[in-house]
Amino acid sequence: MKITGKRKATSALSGSRTFYNFLNRLQRNWMLLLMALPGISWCIVFRYVPFYGVLIAFQKYHVGDSIIGGNWVGLYWFRKFFSHPQFQQLIINTLSISILQILFVFPVPILFALLLNEVQSSRVKRLVQTVSYLPHFISMVAVVSMLSLLLNPNSGIVNRLLNSFGLPSIYFMGSKEWYRPIYILSQIWQTFGYSSIIYISALSSVPQELYESASVDGASRFRQITSISLPSLMPTIIIMLILESGKLVSVGYEKTLLLQNSANNAVADIISTFAYRVGLSQGMYSFGAAMDLFSGVINCVLVLIVNRISSKVSDTSLW
Amino acid sequence: MRKKQSISSKLFSFVLFCMCSAVLIGVLAPILNIFAVSFSSYEAFSRGEVGLLPVEFDTRAYRALIQDGKVLRGLGYSTLYTFLGTLINVALTTLTAYPLSRPEMPLRKTVSLFFAVTMFIGGGMIPTFLLVQKLGLYNTIWAMLLPKGMTVYNMIVMRSFFQALPGELPEAARIDGANDFQILRRIILPLSKASVATIALFYAVMHWNSWFEASIYFSNSNTAPLQLVLRNMVINAQKLVSSGEADNIGSTSMQYAALFVSMVPMMLIYPFVQKYFVKGVMIGSVKG
């Protein structure tokens, strides 16, 4: 009843009608809001407060300083980063890995899905598919451990095999030349099966009659792939490719941190691992935060551009 | 013409056969080699005789591993972090996703946007690290649990699960006098067991496989999870190996055993949970 009184008092103002509606809704559904409160508080503390902490990128911050009254230095750390002797190499390394991923990692699940779709026996199909998911469930640490052990110059099986063919051992993990091939090949191993799920399910929705009539017309199975399967995958491929290019500067730092060592560092080091080393290991928090912010901003812009393109090309957008 | 067709179709079957074998061998052979070395005698391993099956079956490496104790302790801590972490995740995720799935939720659009924004921008590693320190979580188990309290992406997947349920259910329950907490607990959750299980699995794998947080939030390795133990034991040790030096076969065998132990739990459960993961991927992509 109190509400109705309020309604009369405020109905003269047009804007307050929506406010009244809101209060009314709140009164009936406050419990839903209460339910979301733990999640909202978590998000404020662990997602928004760090965002405010980014301000240290514009300060000379030492542990224990307050951010509000901090020692502001403007773009000092950004200038320092851009003029850093390693800056150019870091950008080259980061982009190389991303571009190599798009060229070599991206097409594998598509090829896998196209070929698997042609396998007649459903038992073989299921077995191969199940096995292909397995690497997705093996942790990054375990994958890099596996690489270190199997590629070990003395006891690893790969070099044992090389030796048995009369070839000399190669110190794969400690060489600049092998860093990128190892990164990309292990990336394929880790992701091809799991990434193929989306293509396999897209293929399963292609009407079977298309294949039947094509084979009546004398199309070979290879021809059926290029003329039926591949075209029906095209929309999915384009979306995935666009999404992938949005990640151009965000190479996963966990894998790089685990793979890098003093021997391959010149080609391994990327922006995020450099930020980690300078920021956390050496305690130059402001410098590290500035580098993080730099790649974060580029990322954000890329995602926006990519989303724009995606919604134009395919009516599919992220939001 | 007919003959040509059959040759090309035979060739095609051969290509398929090669692809299937390449996948099976390529995925399984490295894992089998790890398994084989870990169960072989040190002598057979140092002679380079171990391929895909154990030679001179031996559990010495595992006995050494148990005696060392680090891996067992890591296993214990990983289980603890995974269990508690997943519990927190599932609670926060369902409590947030359910209200956001209801059209009558006040400020629904605003709150959704508030969460969605954090998927694209964030403070980054260093401000988060400083926050964890400021909150006094450094060197506590909470540093492993709270910063990963929820994944916004999973919450949105969960929300679309809930949205797919018929909207009349909560409405009818409300008329019968149930409040929102009762509706969630008695009606919505029992109907979404499979979806909650899917999300819980996503979270459990994330916790089980995480090591980076432990490496920056713990100053000593007493409470390290298995993945961090493995990194210290295998990757950091292997970084010191250089070509031409003979390895310490005993400790290398132990590294194989530790690696195999760390892979076994996930390899045992994944065939049973993969269909949920496939479902989760599909829902995430439809929502996209």
Side-chain angles (χ1 to χ4, degrees):
Chain A
M1 290 309 105
K2 218 169 141 192
I3 297 287
T4 32
K6 198 167 193 171
R7 180 183 198 172
K8 266 179 198 156
T10 54
S11 59
L13 301 156
S14 60
S16 45
R17 171 59 66 92
T18 45
F19 185 64
Y20 161 75
N21 279 342
F22 168 70
L23 282 184
N24 191 11
R25 209 169 162 192
L26 191 64
Q27 194 209 14
R28 278 185 290 120
N29 298 299
W30 60 271
M31 220 181 237
L32 287 174
L33 203 58
L34 178 71
M35 205 182 261
L37 208 58
I40 294 173
S41 336
W42 173 84
C43 193
I44 292 174
V45 174
F46 288 100
R47 287 291 176 268
Y48 279 85
V49 171
F51 198 59
Y52 159 77
V54 161
L55 289 178
I56 66 168
F58 305 96
Q59 301 178 333
K60 264 195 178 136
Y61 176 86
H62 300 285
V63 184
D65 286 2
S66 87
I67 292 177
I68 301 169
N71 181 7
W72 295 92
V73 292
L75 296 176
Y76 172 79
W77 295 112
F78 292 90
R79 278 198 295 270
K80 187 165 174 178
F81 179 43
F82 298 145
S83 60
H84 197 279
Q86 259 171 283
F87 177 72
Q88 214 178 351
Q89 192 63 42
L90 288 174
I91 301 283
I92 291 173
N93 292 345
T94 311
L95 290 179
S96 309
I97 290 288
S98 307
I99 291 168
L100 286 171
Q101 292 213 65
I102 291 177
L103 286 180
F104 295 104
V105 181
F106 181 77
V108 178
I110 302 168
L111 199 66
F112 175 62
L114 286 173
L115 288 175
L116 193 71
N117 193 47
E118 298 296 321
V119 173
Q120 307 288 312
S121 148
S122 68
R123 265 188 34 217
V124 173
K125 209 168 171 172
R126 205 160 346 119
L127 174 75
V128 172
Q129 210 181 349
T130 304
V131 168
S132 76
Y133 299 152
L134 173 58
H136 176 79
F137 293 86
I138 296 181
S139 72
M140 192 64 85
V141 173
V143 169
V144 178
S145 300
M146 217 147 85
L147 287 170
S148 319
L149 290 174
L150 300 180
L151 299 177
N152 176 299
N154 312 310
S155 60
I157 186 150
V158 175
N159 277 312
R160 295 271 197 205
L161 285 174
L162 285 179
N163 293 343
S164 71
F165 289 116
L167 298 163
S169 289
I170 300 172
Y171 190 9
F172 291 98
M173 299 300 277
S175 91
K176 270 191 236 173
E177 294 73 37
W178 283 98
Y179 176 78
R180 282 177 190 146
I182 289 171
Y183 190 105
I184 296 299
L185 282 173
S186 59
Q187 195 70 20
I188 293 175
W189 191 81
Q190 285 177 281
T191 58
F192 83 97
Y194 203 65
S195 313
S196 71
I197 292 175
I198 191 161
Y199 300 114
I200 289 170
S201 82
L203 280 176
S204 69
S205 62
V206 178
Q208 211 54 43
E209 297 83 56
L210 283 179
Y211 294 103
E212 278 158 22
S213 53
S215 91
V216 168
D217 290 347
S220 70
R221 285 165 78 194
F222 179 71
R223 186 66 205 275
Q224 290 174 27
I225 291 186
T226 53
S227 306
I228 303 172
S229 304
L230 196 57
S232 20
L233 275 190
M234 235 33 210
T236 319
I237 294 177
I238 290 173
I239 295 172
M240 300 308 278
L241 188 62
I242 291 172
L243 288 177
E244 193 62 29
S245 26
K247 297 187 217 149
L248 219 52
V249 292
S250 58
V251 177
Y253 60 86
E254 292 205 0
K255 186 167 179 178
T256 310
L257 275 181
L258 293 169
L259 277 173
Q260 72 181 174
N261 53 42
S262 50
N264 62 21
N265 212 16
V267 289
D269 222 7
I270 53 176
I271 303 172
S272 49
T273 53
F274 187 71
Y276 162 80
R277 218 173 35 252
V278 171
L280 286 186
S281 305
Q282 297 169 18
M284 294 165 80
Y285 296 120
S286 292
F287 196 15
M291 282 183 264
D292 257 1
L293 184 59
F294 167 75
S295 58
V297 166
I298 294 187
N299 240 356
C300 207
V301 172
L302 275 177
V303 168
L304 287 173
I305 293 173
V306 152
N307 192 54
R308 238 308 169 37
I309 301 171
S310 161
S311 57
K312 278 220 174 104
V313 172
S314 61
D315 293 330
T316 314
S317 92
L318 293 169
W319 52 82
Chain B
M1 187 66 200
R2 171 160 288 209
K3 196 163 183 193
K4 199 179 161 199
Q5 183 78 359
S6 93
I7 288 172
S8 94
S9 119
K10 261 185 192 148
L11 190 73
F12 192 81
S13 304
F14 180 69
V15 169
L16 287 184
F17 173 76
C18 290
M19 189 274 298
C20 291
S21 337
V23 167
L24 294 181
I25 296 169
V27 170
L28 295 177
I31 299 169
L32 274 176
N33 180 251
I34 302 288
F35 158 78
V37 171
S38 73
F39 278 110
S40 294
S41 73
Y42 294 180
E43 292 73 26
F45 176 46
S46 68
R47 287 195 303 270
E49 286 168 0
V50 185
L52 301 179
L53 290 170
V55 178
E56 298 169 11
F57 185 85
D58 194 341
T59 54
R60 218 179 339 162
Y62 288 91
R63 274 179 280 141
L65 209 62
I66 292 168
Q67 210 151 42
D68 177 66
K70 279 200 224 79
V71 168
L72 281 183
R73 195 146 30 111
L75 230 113
Y77 277 110
S78 279
T79 314
L80 179 73
Y81 301 144
T82 303
F83 180 75
L84 289 179
T86 308
L87 213 65
I88 295 174
N89 292 146
V90 171
L92 275 180
T93 305
T94 46
L95 281 177
T96 314
Y98 175 66
L100 289 180
S101 75
R102 306 289 313 142
E104 66 268 26
M105 159 86 176
L107 298 173
R108 180 170 174 232
K109 282 230 164 96
T110 320
V111 176
S112 296
L113 187 69
F114 172 83
F115 278 105
V117 164
T118 64
M119 291 208 295
F120 303 102
I121 52 170
M125 182 197 302
I126 287 155
T128 309
F129 173 80
L130 293 173
L131 171 73
V132 167
Q133 266 191 332
K134 271 228 168 87
L135 292 174
L137 306 179
Y138 188 75
N139 263 335
T140 69
I141 157 173
W142 300 107
M144 293 294 291
L145 308 176
L146 293 182
K148 286 191 162 183
M150 178 157 76
T151 306
V152 173
Y153 179 78
N154 285 350
M155 191 274 285
I156 290 173
V157 170
M158 193 80 214
R159 191 190 63 182
S160 25
F161 275 136
F162 287 147
Q163 269 167 345
L165 296 172
E168 299 84 40
L169 284 172
E171 275 159 34
R174 262 197 163 182
I175 291 167
D176 290 344
N179 70 37
D180 291 307
F181 284 95
Q182 289 165 331
I183 295 172
L184 178 62
R185 200 163 60 89
R186 303 244 176 91
I187 297 168
I188 303 298
L189 286 183
L191 282 173
S192 351
K193 270 185 206 143
S195 341
V196 174
T198 310
I199 293 292
L201 280 167
F202 274 123
Y203 281 125
V205 172
M206 171 184 87
H207 285 290
W208 184 262
N209 288 344
S210 88
W211 62 278
F212 182 71
E213 286 72 18
S215 80
I216 62 174
Y217 295 139
F218 291 151
S219 61
N220 64 43
S221 55
N222 290 337
T223 50
L226 182 60
Q227 304 297 330
L228 189 61
V229 172
L230 192 67
R231 187 203 64 164
N232 296 339
M233 198 168 166
V234 182
I235 299 175
N236 287 357
Q238 289 291 326
K239 276 179 187 172
L240 304 172
V241 172
S242 62
S243 194
E245 261 171 64
D247 289 6
N248 178 344
I249 287 296
S251 76
T252 311
S253 290
M254 220 167 102
Q255 292 170 15
Y256 277 84
L259 174 55
F260 191 65
V261 165
S262 84
M263 294 196 293
V264 162
M266 281 295 159
M267 286 198 306
L268 286 182
I269 63 158
Y270 104 91
F272 304 99
V273 302
Q274 53 150 325
K275 67 167 188 234
Y276 294 108
F277 270 82
V278 173
K279 203 168 118 196
V281 170
M282 291 321 296
I283 283 166
S285 63
V286 169
K287 208 39 223 166

